[in-house]
Amino acid sequence: MQECVIYGNNVIDFCQYITDVDWSKIKKKVYQFLISHSKIKIRIGSCSMILLKNLMSFSKKIDIEELEIYDSLLFRYYAKLIVQFCQLFRLDKLVIKSSFSYHDIEPIFCASPFMKITKLSLYKLNKKSLKLLSYKLKYRLTELNLSKCSLSNNYMYYLSKGLCKSNITHLYLKSNKIVFDGIIYLSRVLPLTNLIVLNLFENRLGNSGINILSKYIPNCHTLRELGLSRTNIFSEGFVILCSILPSTKITTLLIAQNFITQYDIEHVLLPVLPKTFITKISWHGNMVEHHIQNKIQSEIKKMLLKNLKKQKNHNNSFQFKLFLIMLNIQMTRNDHFKNNIVLETLCNPDISYCIEDFLKIS
């Protein structure tokens, strides 16, 4: 049986529980891969203390950016070791796809203020875990993925409470159990967040959920991507959604596989598109005749290209505002500027002079 698989995209996948014998066989191969790549992603199938400790022995020579743990029944015995692993390598992203209880995940939540992790992805949460997570959101996290966590309306109450005090910019809630009440909790805090991406794929929002969401989205000024694919949107909800798009700065709209008709696309969406900043839209899988789809797609493509030029003029001011937000956060915490949005923004020549002036004044 293969102990590990190395991919060309800086990913190494440990496919089985690693023993001392296994490690002696693959040690050289793993080491050569790790020292010859940067920004490495480690995927672990069955968690192994031997594997984690041996990888940690390389900490002074290699740079691991992401750790993903999946299908691990022994997670609870390694939570503290995983925390040490994250702190030692200063990981940017932690993905846990295993099922776990509150006691399994508690050490990671409690250690979150002392870790460098900005991106967290979890597979399953109970209410107690979510309460603790909501409290910890006010720390470094900027990206939170809670897809397939079976989040219902009660869970959304605690999550929303934490969101308005956090720095989360990317929120993924795909394939949960969010319906009308849950979307009310989330919608009310949207204007208080700095969300750039909100993904609600495969939740049963329906027209009533879209109606509530549409009342608050225009006041979420940072929102740029809205994912509403497979959320049971019918014509009534789609008309409401399209009516608020011109008052937003959304550039990506994902509405695939709903119950939107051909009439809705041609007579509701197409007239609204030129008034928006949308440059990417996914609408496949709706109730549109196959032979008409190419024609509509061609018209949409022309409008998106025009919007791209318009959006470019507004993008620089948006990036500058985002830079100021992140800079303020970092100055407050005395963080270093390494591997964050500030450096990425500084590389933008169109606004670099604005940033230089701001830093001189500061």
Side-chain angles (χ1 to χ4, degrees):
M1 186 176 180
Q2 212 167 15
E3 292 88 1
C4 70
V5 177
I6 293 174
Y7 300 96
N9 55 348
N10 297 9
V11 178
I12 182 165
D13 189 344
F14 294 93
C15 313
Q16 68 179 59
Y17 186 89
I18 303 296
T19 64
D20 280 318
V21 176
D22 298 327
W23 179 253
S24 63
K25 292 178 184 176
I26 63 173
K27 179 180 178 180
K28 187 176 180 181
K29 181 181 178 183
V30 170
Y31 179 70
Q32 288 176 344
F33 173 81
L34 295 178
I35 61 172
S36 59
H37 291 77
S38 60
K39 296 185 178 180
I40 300 159
K41 175 181 176 180
I42 301 284
R43 299 182 75 231
I44 298 176
S46 295
C47 222
S48 162
M49 187 177 294
I50 294 167
L51 173 61
L52 289 174
K53 286 189 173 180
N54 278 295
L55 286 174
M56 286 165 71
S57 66
F58 297 148
S59 60
K60 294 182 179 178
K61 302 177 183 178
I62 60 175
D63 181 22
I64 297 176
E65 187 176 64
E66 180 179 342
L67 175 64
E68 178 181 316
I69 301 170
Y70 62 98
D71 296 335
S72 175
L73 300 175
L74 301 173
F75 180 81
R76 68 176 57 191
Y77 301 108
Y78 301 108
K80 291 182 180 178
L81 189 60
I82 290 166
V83 168
Q84 293 174 14
F85 188 94
C86 294
Q87 291 174 327
L88 196 59
F89 287 104
R90 300 194 168 200
L91 293 190
D92 182 55
K93 185 172 183 179
L94 176 62
V95 180
I96 302 172
K97 292 187 175 179
S98 307
S99 298
F100 46 81
S101 69
Y102 172 75
H103 297 291
D104 300 342
I105 202 72
E106 184 183 13
I108 290 177
F109 288 158
C110 292
S112 58
F114 311 105
M115 295 195 291
K116 295 291 183 181
I117 290 173
T118 60
K119 301 172 185 176
L120 180 63
S121 179
L122 301 172
Y123 172 71
K124 192 176 181 181
L125 287 175
N126 57 31
K127 192 176 290 187
K128 197 174 181 182
S129 298
L130 188 63
K131 282 183 181 180
L132 183 58
L133 173 63
S134 299
Y135 176 73
K136 299 297 180 182
L137 286 181
K138 63 183 181 181
Y139 294 105
R140 300 178 188 278
L141 286 182
T142 58
E143 181 179 309
L144 181 62
N145 188 337
L146 297 178
S147 298
K148 298 181 180 180
C149 279
S150 301
L151 299 183
S152 58
N153 295 333
N154 291 334
Y155 288 75
M156 290 305 298
Y157 170 76
Y158 298 108
L159 178 62
S160 300
K161 229 176 154 183
L163 273 177
C164 59
K165 300 175 183 177
S166 74
N167 301 313
I168 300 289
T169 57
H170 293 64
L171 180 62
Y172 301 92
L173 299 173
K174 180 180 176 181
S175 303
N176 281 294
K177 298 178 181 178
I178 306 170
V179 290
F180 183 68
D181 289 343
I183 212 65
I184 289 177
Y185 294 135
L186 178 62
S187 299
R188 284 175 178 170
V189 301
L190 280 181
L192 304 175
T193 68
N194 295 318
L195 284 182
I196 298 172
V197 175
L198 175 60
N199 188 317
L200 293 166
F201 282 18
E202 298 177 358
N203 286 285
R204 294 173 294 165
L205 306 186
N207 291 338
S208 55
I210 296 299
N211 186 21
I212 292 295
L213 200 61
S214 299
K215 291 179 181 178
Y216 294 90
I217 284 178
N219 295 321
C220 184
H221 303 296
T222 56
L223 191 63
R224 293 298 180 271
E225 180 177 321
L226 181 61
L228 296 172
S229 296
R230 300 184 68 178
T231 52
N232 290 358
I233 303 176
F234 288 79
S235 296
E236 182 186 341
F238 186 64
V239 171
I240 295 170
L241 178 64
C242 287
S243 68
I244 59 102
L245 289 177
S247 58
T248 71
K249 295 295 189 295
I250 291 173
T251 60
T252 301
L253 180 64
L254 309 174
I255 50 170
Q257 298 182 33
N258 281 295
F259 299 94
I260 302 166
T261 66
Q262 182 175 316
Y263 181 88
D264 298 329
I265 298 292
E266 291 181 320
H267 295 90
V268 179
L269 179 63
L270 290 182
V272 166
L273 267 185
K275 302 173 186 178
T276 71
F277 290 94
I278 294 173
T279 57
K280 180 182 177 182
I281 185 167
S282 172
W283 59 279
H284 66 275
N286 282 289
M287 302 168 69
V288 180
E289 294 181 22
H290 184 70
H291 67 281
I292 301 292
Q293 288 183 11
N294 289 338
K295 180 185 175 183
I296 295 176
Q297 182 60 35
S298 178
E299 290 182 42
I300 289 177
K301 189 175 180 180
K302 292 176 184 177
M303 294 179 182
L304 296 184
L305 287 172
K306 289 181 181 178
N307 282 355
L308 186 61
K309 295 178 182 178
K310 181 171 63 173
Q311 184 252 340
K312 187 177 179 182
N313 296 328
H314 290 264
N315 188 50
N316 290 337
S317 61
F318 166 68
Q319 289 290 341
F320 184 54
K321 288 177 183 176
L322 192 60
F323 164 80
L324 295 181
I325 292 170
M326 299 304 294
L327 182 62
N328 182 53
I329 292 167
Q330 288 168 20
M331 283 182 165
T332 304
R333 298 175 181 162
N334 294 320
D335 284 352
H336 296 293
F337 284 178
K338 186 180 178 183
N339 295 331
N340 57 40
I341 198 166
V342 172
L343 278 181
E344 294 173 14
T345 311
L346 284 170
C347 293
N348 186 336
D350 296 328
I351 60 169
S352 58
Y353 69 94
C354 296
I355 294 171
E356 287 173 8
D357 291 342
F358 174 80
L359 292 175
K360 286 176 184 176
I361 295 170
S362 300

